[in-house]
Amino acid sequence: MPFVTTADGTEIFYKDWGEGRPVVLSHGWPLSSDSWEAQQLFLAENGYRAIAHDRRGHGRSTQSWGGNEMDTYADDLAALIEALDLRDVTLVGFSTGGGEVARYIGRHGTARVAQAVLVAAVPPLMLQAEDNPGGVPLEVFDAIRAGSLADRSQLYRDLADGPFFGLNRPGASVSQGVRDAFWRQGLQSGHRNAYESIAAFSATDFRADLDAFDVPTLVIHGDDDQVVPFEVGGNASAARIRDATLTVYAGAPHGITDTHKQQLSEDLLSFLRTF
């Protein structure tokens, strides 16, 4: 299996499909690159080199003890891009992966980047604060941390059976297989890695990173997202990023890589073709 080794010896697993201009897909918590498989296959079959990696501590990458925060996630992404010598890259980040993309641009710039896409992403800042009063209260994330320590397997079951795919809404329907895939990927992550990543995705302030965006950017978000609320996530990011394009999926939950996978794939392809 292909891996890139980072400066601290962490091995980052990646899947490299297709040929053409590169697209790098960063996944959400507590998942892996497998969560992008529908979009990765679609883009590779439509003339792009689609690359998806497992964040450190997730999937098949090393369960490192340290580095479970956004600066290191972004540096790992940079290590992957530089090792593969990717140019004119379109960076696509879902949820926590959107934070990884934002911090990458904030720390490493856009010399290798042509476009960016944030999908149901955590920027600008999820956590409620004095200067972010509409954010999500700390108690919500403390409950996730408590669930992770008490019974992490059941926590992932509850997320998949409830808010992640919007299954607590009338009429929502997602297959048992999709829910099982969420659970399987979650349990592939390291216990400590996934636990510490809760702080990384909830409390990292990406506002300065978004100010550094100087490439065409597409923001996609469901307006019934119960994990990263639309007003906190996509709507706020689109308002902050210079000349960003906002696409709203009406009534969509957080997990749109599965619930709206065809629509998302086609929207990504349309945006790629604008370059």
Side-chain angles (χ1 to χ4, degrees):
M1 292 194 293
F3 290 89
V4 166
T5 303
T6 69
D8 70 353
T10 297
E11 291 190 311
I12 302 296
F13 170 79
Y14 67 96
K15 296 187 279 191
D16 190 347
W17 295 354
E19 297 178 349
R21 194 162 63 80
V23 182
V24 176
L25 303 154
S26 295
H27 63 81
W29 175 93
L31 305 173
S32 72
S33 58
D34 292 351
S35 64
W36 279 118
E37 63 181 17
Q39 289 75 37
Q40 189 176 10
L41 180 61
F42 180 86
L43 296 176
E45 288 180 335
N46 280 276
Y48 290 88
R49 181 182 177 187
I51 300 160
H53 64 291
D54 292 351
R55 184 173 303 117
R56 69 169 54 210
H58 297 69
R60 289 136 290 200
S61 293
T62 303
Q63 294 186 8
S64 58
W65 187 251
N68 303 299
E69 32 69 33
M70 282 293 169
D71 284 357
T72 303
Y73 293 164
D75 291 351
D76 291 347
L77 177 58
L80 174 70
I81 290 171
E82 290 163 14
L84 300 181
D85 194 22
L86 304 179
R87 310 277 176 176
D88 292 332
V89 181
T90 297
L91 296 177
V92 184
F94 167 71
S95 195
T96 300
E100 186 177 302
V101 166
R103 185 51 52 92
Y104 171 88
I105 290 176
R107 283 173 71 81
H108 299 276
T110 54
R112 291 176 179 265
V113 180
Q115 299 168 301
V117 186
L118 301 180
V119 180
V122 297
L125 171 61
M126 281 191 74
L127 186 64
Q128 188 178 70
E130 283 189 12
D131 62 349
N132 190 42
V136 179
L138 176 63
E139 292 77 13
V140 172
F141 304 111
D142 284 345
I144 298 173
R145 277 184 274 264
S148 181
L149 293 176
D151 188 341
R152 166 168 106 95
S153 178
Q154 190 59 48
L155 170 69
Y156 299 154
R157 289 281 189 208
D158 292 343
L159 288 171
D161 291 344
F164 192 88
F165 296 115
L167 289 172
N168 54 350
R169 300 299 201 210
S173 177
V174 175
S175 75
Q176 186 64 52
V178 168
R179 286 179 270 169
D180 288 349
F182 180 99
W183 175 81
R184 175 188 63 81
Q185 290 175 51
L187 285 184
Q188 274 188 298
S189 64
H191 191 6
R192 174 184 168 89
N193 307 101
Y195 182 83
E196 293 205 336
S197 191
I198 297 167
F201 74 69
S202 66
T204 302
D205 187 343
F206 299 101
R207 289 175 285 194
D209 302 303
L210 298 187
D211 293 342
F213 277 46
D214 59 358
V215 295
T217 302
L218 173 64
V219 178
I220 299 175
H221 215 108
D223 66 6
D224 193 29
D225 189 329
Q226 302 170 72
V227 177
V228 182
F230 170 68
E231 293 296 337
V232 173
N235 199 38
S237 287
R240 192 166 189 107
I241 298 170
R242 200 176 316 145
D243 299 324
T245 299
L246 174 63
T247 297
V248 181
Y249 288 5
H254 188 62
I256 55 178
T257 54
D258 286 301
T259 61
H260 293 65
K261 63 182 182 181
Q262 190 62 32
Q263 182 180 355
L264 177 59
S265 295
E266 291 172 359
D267 284 343
L268 291 175
L269 183 61
S270 294
F271 181 64
L272 284 162
R273 287 174 172 168
T274 63
F275 177 74

